[in-house]
Amino acid sequence: MKKTPKELGYYFPAEWETHAATWLSFPHNLETWPQPKMEKVYPVFLDFIKTLSLHEQVHINVQNLEMKNWILRALEQRAADLSKVSCHLHPTNDAWCRDYGPAFLINPTLVEKKIIVDWEFNAWGQKYPLFENDNRIPTLIAEKLKIPLYKPQIVMEGGSLDFNGKGSVLTTKSCLLNTNRNVHLTIKQIEWALYDYYGVEQVLWLENGLAGDDTDGHIDNLTRFVNEDTIITMVEHDKNSENFHILKNNLEKLKKMRLINGKQLNIIEIPMPPKMVEDDVLLPGSYANFYIANDSVIVPIYQTDRDENALEILQDCFPGREVIGLNSRDIIWGLGSFHCLTQQEPLV
């Protein structure tokens, strides 16, 4: 019987550990960003790529050769270093690489130092009709990199989990225990899947996610590790907000949690951005959806008077990195932001 990644000593490193690269999928789905939204998303996404490429390789899944050539021309016009950017003809259904992309695990002591775990992706509980191309992306990348692939045959999205790299993972019951993912699995069976295929030892459960979040409550909009025993968590001070009680309840649970070593979490609170509604759609704007890159942290901002405070709080959390705010006002229309768009490949 084939050993699990955990039995072989593989684990999912924390996001702040050094990356070999960041993987992205270039936006193209006009149901996610209808025109003219898409035209506004492109410049921000290109700036995002350029910012990432300053300190690490960037791999982009693209639909076709035409898209690849357009991206490279646009980056050249922005004076980006094209030697740091690689486009791969890997067709996708949408841009949310965090959720369907490869989960890279490492064990520096083995000959095969890196593997990919390929979870099943069912478009966030079959909310959207097309996801076959997205579901194939981890296999294509494993073939490209010529590294082993493990397939647990369990639905799991990268944005639903956040890791401290020391055996603990944060997640939500509203997402992982939702009957639209793995109706046949109990909470204990899901925990064992996380142990076996992420190499963790402890699952820390919150209850619910943000109102307006179509993922059923991804943790990367709520609460994130910034080091092995410190988290930032979103809080809402407006008692009339749909998120007030959700975030208050989550904060109370976080205060009671203990890590594997018995330590209490260091908790840093960040106020939510003001409520954002467009065309009667409540948008899940959050400062927690940042991406920790090599030497920088890229944070979604929303052109509000709360942006600067959020950036200052996060800069204090990452003294060795430059915290960069990029405008996510149009990207958030797609119901996600920079963390949702990325998947890190660790250096080993």
Side-chain angles (χ1 to χ4, degrees):
M1 186 175 179
K2 188 177 182 180
K3 289 186 176 182
T4 67
K6 184 177 179 65
E7 289 173 324
L8 294 170
Y10 289 103
Y11 71 97
F12 190 90
E15 195 170 305
W16 54 80
E17 295 188 30
T18 305
H19 303 171
T22 294
W23 285 84
L24 307 170
S25 297
F26 204 80
H28 62 86
N29 190 329
L30 293 177
E31 292 185 8
T32 304
W33 290 289
Q35 299 290 14
K37 282 288 183 187
M38 187 66 85
E39 293 304 316
K40 296 178 180 178
V41 165
Y42 285 151
V44 179
F45 203 89
L46 290 164
D47 288 343
F48 182 41
I49 294 170
K50 180 181 177 180
T51 302
L52 288 171
S53 69
L54 294 174
H55 300 290
E56 61 192 271
Q57 192 74 25
V58 182
H59 293 287
I60 310 170
N61 301 310
V62 301
Q63 295 299 94
N64 49 47
L65 192 58
E66 181 182 7
M67 178 182 283
K68 173 183 175 178
N69 292 336
W70 183 90
I71 292 166
L72 295 177
R73 284 197 303 270
L75 289 171
E76 188 175 28
Q77 291 170 0
R78 283 171 162 73
D81 182 356
L82 296 187
S83 70
K84 292 292 216 37
V85 178
S86 301
C87 292
H88 307 277
L89 301 182
H90 296 162
T92 61
N93 301 114
D94 214 335
W96 309 113
C97 195
R98 172 68 49 179
D99 290 341
Y100 59 74
F104 290 97
L105 276 65
I106 63 170
N107 182 344
T109 69
L110 297 182
V111 174
E112 294 283 5
K113 299 181 186 303
K114 189 183 301 182
I115 63 169
I116 283 175
V117 175
D118 180 6
W119 301 94
E120 291 299 308
F121 178 68
N122 75 346
W124 307 280
Q126 298 181 325
K127 291 186 180 70
Y128 303 96
L130 293 175
F131 54 87
E132 293 88 350
N133 286 343
D134 290 346
N135 202 24
R136 282 193 286 267
I137 290 297
T139 297
L140 294 176
I141 293 174
E143 291 172 353
K144 171 75 68 174
L145 299 180
K146 296 180 172 56
I147 60 177
L149 183 74
Y150 289 75
K151 296 175 74 72
Q153 297 184 316
I154 292 172
V155 174
M156 195 75 65
E157 296 134 30
S160 68
L161 306 156
D162 200 67
F163 301 81
N164 74 344
K166 296 296 181 180
S168 299
V169 60
L170 273 163
T171 190
T172 62
K173 293 181 179 179
S174 60
C175 181
L176 263 64
L177 303 187
N178 199 303
T179 56
N180 62 17
R181 263 73 163 188
N182 298 296
V183 66
H184 59 296
L185 297 181
T186 66
I187 184 171
K188 287 299 180 185
Q189 288 171 319
I190 289 174
E191 286 184 339
W192 277 108
L194 295 174
Y195 300 152
D196 285 342
Y197 289 94
Y198 276 116
V200 297
E201 300 173 40
Q202 177 189 44
V203 184
L204 300 171
W205 292 97
L206 292 180
E207 292 292 335
N208 296 299
L210 293 182
D213 180 0
D214 66 341
T215 68
D216 300 307
H218 275 188
I219 196 73
D220 64 0
N221 274 330
L222 298 170
T223 305
R224 302 281 306 283
F225 281 107
V226 296
N227 62 45
E228 64 184 71
D229 55 15
T230 303
I231 53 113
I232 64 93
T233 194
M234 302 308 299
V235 294
E236 177 58 79
H237 298 305
D238 180 1
K239 293 184 178 180
N240 295 317
S241 167
E242 297 92 332
N243 287 311
F244 178 78
H245 290 292
I246 293 170
L247 297 179
K248 183 173 183 288
N249 181 50
N250 283 346
L251 180 59
E252 291 170 355
K253 287 189 174 297
L254 289 166
K255 288 178 178 178
K256 296 175 183 176
M257 289 178 181
R258 297 295 183 272
L259 295 169
I260 296 168
N261 59 10
K263 289 184 66 175
Q264 188 172 0
L265 288 166
N266 298 321
I267 300 172
I268 298 170
E269 300 177 18
I270 300 184
M272 285 285 289
K275 182 176 180 178
M276 287 177 280
V277 179
E278 287 193 38
D279 297 339
D280 298 324
V281 176
L282 177 63
L283 304 177
S286 170
Y287 297 115
N289 207 265
F290 55 81
Y291 179 59
I292 307 170
N294 289 347
D295 299 318
S296 66
V297 179
I298 300 171
V299 183
I301 57 174
Y302 305 97
Q303 298 178 304
T304 82
D305 57 4
R306 299 181 193 174
D307 292 347
E308 186 175 350
N309 181 47
L311 292 173
E312 289 174 352
I313 293 170
L314 287 169
Q315 185 63 77
D316 288 341
C317 294
F318 295 100
R321 287 176 161 87
E322 181 184 8
V323 170
I324 301 168
L326 287 184
N327 182 9
S328 190
R329 190 73 201 211
D330 293 301
I331 286 176
I332 197 62
W333 174 257
L335 308 182
S337 194
F338 299 118
H339 195 255
C340 303
L341 292 165
T342 55
Q343 185 58 264
Q344 69 273 9
E345 178 185 347
L347 181 67
V348 60

